[in-house]
Structure formats: C-alpha cells, structure tokens
Amino acid sequence: MNSSGTGSKLAPPVAPPANPLPWRTRLAVSVVSALSDLGRRHDGTVNRRLLSFLDLKCPASTTPIQSVVSSDVTVDASRNLWFRVYAPATSAAAAGGGGLPVLVFFHGGGFAFLSAASVGYDLVCRRFARSLPAIVVSVNYRLTPEHRFPCQYDDGFDVLRFLDGDAGALPENADIGKCFLAGDSAGANIAHHVAVRAGGSGFRRLRVLGQVSIQPFFGGEERSESEIRFRSNSVLVSLDRTDWLWKAFLPDGSTRDHHAANVTGSDISGKEYPETVVIVGGLDPLQDWQRRYYEWLKRSGKEATLVEYPNMIHAFYMFPELPESAEVFAQVRDFVARKSAG
C-alpha cells in the first residue's frame, strides 16, 4: 500500500507479482463482468427482469449476523428511496465514545446496477459496522437509465436531510454529529456530489466530518493512459462498459466532460468540503481519473490523502480473501477514529 497526503507516510513501491489475485477472486470478477454485460442492452436500456434473478439479495435481519443487526427505513416510498441501517449487536461497541459515528454508504454498480440489499454490499456494510465500529446507513438510490442524472445525487442528499430531521431514524447510540460519507465506484461519485451539496447546507444536527472515496468512478472525453493501457485486459471495468454507463446516466446530448463525470472542472475552493481519503488500485483502468480527483482536491485547498494499492483491481476491497481488503477496512477505521476524536 502506498499513501500520500495530509498526515500520511509514503510507503515504498511494491513490485506487482506475476499473479496478484487468487483463482477464486479471478473467477468471481469474471462472472460478475459477464453478468453485467448480459444485463446491458445495445439500445441503452437494462434487462431488469434478468438482473432480478442474477443480483442475489438478502433481507434485513434483527437477529445478529456476524455480530451486526440491520433494519430498513423508508424515506420516500413514491420513488423507492430507502436505506438499510447496520448496527453492532453489542452495546459495548460504543463504550467510552459517547455514541457511534454514522457512515452513510453509497453502493457501486455504475449508477445502473445493484442495490443496498445486494448480498455483496450487505456483507461490506456489516463489515464496516463491526470493524469501525459505526452505525452504517446504506442508501438504496434510484438507478439509471430509468432515472438519470441528477436523481442519484438528489436521493443521496435527501437521505442526509432525512437523517438530520428525524432523530428516531437511527439507533439511540448513533451520533449524527459524527457523520462520514463513503462509497465505491459510482457510489463514490455520488458521495462526492452529495458532499458538495452538503457543504453550507445548514443541517441542524448532522455534521459531515470526512469522506471515504473507494476507487471513484470519474471520467472524461480524453482517454487516460491507464484506460488505454488496460483496454484489452481489464476486469469489471472496461472502456466499452464505462462508455455505456456514462451514456445511460448523463443528460441526453452531454459528453463525458459533463461535471457529473469530469469533476475537476468545477470550482469548490470556496466551499465547505470534508477531508477525504481516496483509495486507488494499480490494476484499475480508472486510476488516472482517481488521482486527478485527489490532485484537484489538493489544488482546491481541501484536505485529502491518496492511498494506493499497486496490485489491486477495481472493487478489490469487496473480496475478504485478499489481505489488501483488510488493509482498506483498517485504513477507514483509523480515519474515522481520528476525525471522530478531533
């Protein structure tokens, strides 16, 4: 792991091994890639009926699973906006801290796939709740192309407003004054835009202390060096897939230089914006855009830390068999603990 930025140390570079991923992980990402391709149609629509069978989901559980309980909360039934709350099952998790921090999480899936109930993200959020520890709010936002930009950003911000206004929405040991935004891939893109909206929004109770941006999905008309380098041998993320996703998400007639995708053209220098940890994988075709995001935050006068995992693919942190996955959760734990204590 390499890291740079405010208050961080630069680790020595790590030479990539000949086969960085276990066969089981390689098989899993190949299957996921194939399934996402099956769900995409050439006319820009998604085969929801097929995906409903392929996207395995699990219900919330008030019975502890891996020492974490969960429940679903409706924000707006008319647009199917809800979130799943994860809480450590033992009250000892909050001992000495005056309440647990709240991690508002946005799942990935290119704005078009998956949900807060998807098995993979249910496992991720349980792991965050247990390891930080924290109250995790996993947002089930609307999906494109049925609901295009800016619906996902609207949904994310409306969840923050709901949490700020409804003191009974979360467990009693949740400290909404210690709120963190987090997401991976497209979810990290949503977290960024929600963070921009949240700055100076005048919340009464909710205070965003930090942001965790895990391999965020950004882009532009220019083909970056990493996109070109991994064009023929990338997994999960490819130019064909990302081009399709941007076209399905952005307003009709927009290019990939729209501010939703190419955020570095915006000016946030005078806006309130939380300290951010940006996590990058060295085998991720999106890595150049992710580094540009980090560099833009620094130029804008914002506190940011870049953490690089040279041998990791897109979404690697979701695979617990990888040692680097545990490092990501430890990095997030330390960041949340430091900001909460301050």
Side-chain angles (χ1 to χ4, degrees), residues 134-185:
I135 304 299
V136 176
V137 172
S138 182
V139 180
N140 192 75
Y141 54 84
R142 289 170 290 177
L143 300 177
T144 197
E146 297 88 346
H147 305 282
R148 302 168 77 110
F149 166 91
C151 292
Q152 292 73 15
Y153 306 156
D154 293 342
D155 290 351
F157 183 69
D158 285 349
V159 165
L160 293 193
R161 291 201 299 185
F162 182 86
L163 293 174
D164 183 60
D166 188 342
L170 298 179
E172 290 183 357
N173 62 340
D175 187 347
I176 200 66
K178 300 176 182 176
C179 182
F180 294 80
L181 304 181
D184 69 330
S185 195

Side-chain angles (χ1 to χ4, degrees), residues 23-232:
W23 70 266
R24 199 169 54 172
T25 308
R26 296 199 303 271
L27 176 62
V29 296
S30 297
V31 169
V32 172
S33 297
L35 294 180
S36 67
D37 289 342
L38 285 173
R40 292 185 295 122
R41 296 190 179 112
H42 292 297
D43 63 359
T45 60
V46 169
N47 189 335
R48 294 288 176 209
R49 179 174 295 181
L50 175 63
L51 289 177
S52 68
F53 291 104
L54 301 179
D55 178 18
L56 299 179
K57 295 181 173 63
C58 59
S61 175
T62 54
T63 301
I65 298 176
Q66 298 176 333
S67 303
V68 174
V69 295
S70 59
S71 59
D72 293 340
V73 177
T74 299
V75 177
D76 184 349
S78 68
R79 50 177 154 153
N80 194 31
L81 177 59
W82 56 273
F83 57 81
R84 180 162 294 177
V85 181
Y86 297 85
T90 58
S91 58
L100 292 175
V102 176
L103 184 80
V104 179
F105 181 84
F106 301 95
H107 67 81
F111 308 105
F113 306 115
L114 305 176
S115 77
S118 296
V119 168
Y121 282 110
D122 187 77
L123 293 172
V124 160
C125 290
R126 288 184 187 281
R127 194 174 176 189
F128 273 129
R130 185 176 62 253
S131 63
L132 296 185
I135 304 299
V136 176
V137 172
S138 182
V139 180
N140 192 75
Y141 54 84
R142 289 170 290 177
L143 300 177
T144 197
E146 297 88 346
H147 305 282
R148 302 168 77 110
F149 166 91
C151 292
Q152 292 73 15
Y153 306 156
D154 293 342
D155 290 351
F157 183 69
D158 285 349
V159 165
L160 293 193
R161 291 201 299 185
F162 182 86
L163 293 174
D164 183 60
D166 188 342
L170 298 179
E172 290 183 357
N173 62 340
D175 187 347
I176 200 66
K178 300 176 182 176
C179 182
F180 294 80
L181 304 181
D184 69 330
S185 195
N189 176 299
I190 296 171
H192 160 73
H193 287 280
V194 171
V196 171
R197 291 192 185 188
S201 58
F203 290 134
R204 294 185 300 106
R205 301 183 308 120
L206 185 147
R207 184 183 175 205
V208 178
L209 297 185
Q211 178 180 213
V212 179
S213 186
I214 304 173
Q215 299 177 281
F217 183 27
F218 298 124
E221 283 298 295
E222 172 196 351
R223 296 304 189 189
S224 72
E225 187 276 332
S226 60
E227 286 176 317
I228 295 170
R229 175 159 40 101
F230 290 103
R231 184 166 197 157
S232 61

Side-chain angles (χ1 to χ4, degrees), residues 279-299:
I279 296 172
V280 176
L283 302 182
D284 185 350
L286 299 175
Q287 62 186 278
D288 287 347
W289 293 107
Q290 295 157 4
R291 291 193 190 93
R292 291 181 191 182
Y293 170 60
Y294 160 75
E295 292 162 358
W296 169 70
L297 289 177
K298 299 290 284 186
R299 289 196 309 271

